[in-house]
Amino acid sequence: MAHSILTEIESLTQALRLLEAFHAFDSDNDGSIDAQELNGIMGSLGYNLSGQDINDMMQKGDTNKDGLLNISEFLDLNVQNLGFGDFGSALKSGLQELKLKEDDLVSGEELCEVIENVGIELSLDDCEDIVASIGGDGHAGTISFQDLELIVNALV
């Protein structure tokens, strides 16, 4: 199980990088990006895509057909192949039990409690490592509930 969890932690980390890139290129902070902003994100992640590739991504990801990608559409489009197994499903159901607000922060200890409540045994150190690996909001030892929920929902 340890190997599986390590793989899934890496998926969480990759999804967080996408989330951070999205926020960095959402220049007007409206929660959506256009094709030009998508091109900037993909370039910042090391991808050199053609205009047609960007347009294809926009069409594929824009499920509500408003000509933009919101954060959920962007994550859905880009994390499809990362894979997230039983751990992700357990984490998703556990997060629903937390009943936190979007701006609340989740610590390693809280995450560990959630994971234990859904029947997965991880040490507190493991839970703190997970939070540290996907943290990045500038709050040591925590991750925003909103970011964690977005990532988990996209990966499950």
Side-chain angles (χ1 to χ4, degrees):
M1 183 168 183
H3 174 71
S4 174
I5 289 175
L6 290 176
T7 302
E8 291 176 8
I9 290 171
E10 180 59 29
S11 294
L12 286 170
T13 303
Q14 290 176 319
L16 179 70
R17 287 187 200 118
L18 290 166
L19 184 66
E20 289 172 340
F22 182 94
H23 289 306
F25 282 87
D26 180 15
S27 56
D28 56 5
N29 294 318
D30 67 351
S32 296
I33 57 170
D34 59 22
Q36 183 178 354
E37 291 167 320
L38 177 60
N39 191 37
I41 290 171
M42 300 313 289
S44 77
L45 296 171
Y47 298 100
N48 185 17
L49 301 177
S50 70
Q52 185 60 48
D53 290 336
I54 294 296
N55 288 336
D56 290 348
M57 286 182 74
M58 289 293 295
Q59 287 180 354
K60 182 177 179 184
D62 182 18
T63 57
N64 66 4
K65 305 301 180 203
D66 65 355
L68 302 169
L69 294 180
N70 63 42
I71 185 65
S72 295
E73 290 170 328
F74 175 75
L75 285 174
D76 288 345
L77 178 66
N78 287 287
V79 300
Q80 294 170 358
N81 298 321
L82 290 181
F84 208 54
D86 294 338
F87 176 75
S89 298
L91 186 56
K92 183 175 182 173
S93 66
L95 286 177
Q96 294 168 349
E97 292 177 22
L98 273 179
K99 303 209 185 320
L100 295 174
K101 298 179 189 136
E102 289 182 351
D103 59 349
D104 286 340
L105 299 174
V106 177
S107 68
E109 189 173 323
E110 290 171 310
L111 181 62
C112 207
E113 185 178 320
V114 165
I115 291 171
E116 286 175 359
N117 287 343
V118 294
I120 295 178
E121 291 185 34
L122 284 180
S123 70
L124 179 57
D125 285 344
D126 288 336
C127 293
E128 288 173 346
D129 288 347
I130 292 169
V131 169
S133 74
I134 61 175
D137 57 7
H139 301 283
T142 62
I143 183 171
S144 78
F145 178 71
Q146 179 182 22
D147 287 352
L148 182 60
E149 188 174 47
L150 277 169
I151 292 168
V152 170
N153 286 338
L155 290 170
V156 174

